[in-house]
Amino acid sequence: MSEHLIHTITQFIASIGIPVVFETIKAETFVPGILINKGTLVVDEDRLLYPGDLLHEAGHIAVAFPADREVMYGDIGAMTEKNQSDGEEMMAIAWSYAACVHLNIDPAIVFHPYGYKGSSDWYLEQYGSGNMLYLPLLQWAGFCYDASNAEKNGAQPYPAMIRWLRK
């Protein structure tokens, strides 16, 4: 596993305001080597299988409201039905794609074959063909603009972001 890639990703995550801690995780985790604990991304490098998972899990933290970040723990998808009903999973996917573009990382690192319930190739095809999945949700939450709103606001369109953390 590329230590440089892990360093690049975790430095970015920390730089946007999500704490990153490297330590041994004794309990089983939903994503190997990663634990979300009260808005902090805990990373066990010895158990981490896919560095791209760091961006997706950070995306869950980033798209949550600040008060919700403080109570997040473990398997965020299973933590509450609210996660699915308000689009946070979809926003985390779009957020992680934008982070790949920002970091100039191949999106296949995030959308690897062992994640996304067998749909990783589909996500890569969609984003690769310019279909910016879940962009309306990210725009609604104040993270970015679509092309027409970016022009009106003098900003770059998604996948460029105007902020990385939900307010």
Side-chain angles (χ1 to χ4, degrees), residues 136-154:
L137 289 169
L138 280 185
Q139 181 171 256
W140 169 78
F143 286 99
C144 59
Y145 295 118
D146 61 18
S148 64
N149 283 300
E151 187 175 332
K152 291 176 195 171
N153 289 285

Side-chain angles (χ1 to χ4, degrees), residues 1-4 6-7 10 21-25 33-34 42-49 54:
M1 182 166 328
S2 168
E3 288 182 26
H4 176 72
I6 294 169
H7 177 77
T10 56
V21 174
F22 291 89
E23 64 185 36
T24 300
I25 301 171
I34 304 172
V42 182
V43 181
D44 184 338
E45 286 186 272
D46 292 333
R47 294 180 62 199
L48 181 66
L49 297 180
L54 293 164

Side-chain angles (χ1 to χ4, degrees), residues 26-39:
K26 294 184 180 162
E28 284 299 311
T29 57
F30 180 70
V31 177
I34 304 172
L35 175 68
I36 295 175
N37 186 4
K38 299 179 182 173

Side-chain angles (χ1 to χ4, degrees), residues 63-154:
V63 302
F65 288 104
D68 293 340
R69 286 196 288 268
E70 298 302 315
V71 296
M72 296 174 103
Y73 183 83
D75 179 2
I76 302 310
M79 188 174 81
T80 156
E81 290 299 317
K82 174 184 173 283
N83 183 286
Q84 296 302 318
S85 66
D86 72 4
E88 287 183 8
E89 176 66 27
M90 291 181 276
M91 286 195 298
I93 290 169
W95 187 97
S96 60
Y97 174 75
C100 284
V101 172
H102 177 78
L103 293 170
N104 198 29
I105 292 173
D106 183 348
I109 291 170
V110 169
F111 300 107
H112 57 80
Y114 303 101
Y116 302 93
K117 300 177 183 174
S119 296
S120 58
D121 285 342
W122 182 79
Y123 282 113
L124 290 169
E125 289 169 17
Q126 295 303 306
Y127 283 111
S129 68
N131 184 10
M132 297 295 121
L133 297 171
Y134 318 128
L135 166 57
L137 289 169
L138 280 185
Q139 181 171 256
W140 169 78
F143 286 99
C144 59
Y145 295 118
D146 61 18
S148 64
N149 283 300
E151 187 175 332
K152 291 176 195 171
N153 289 285

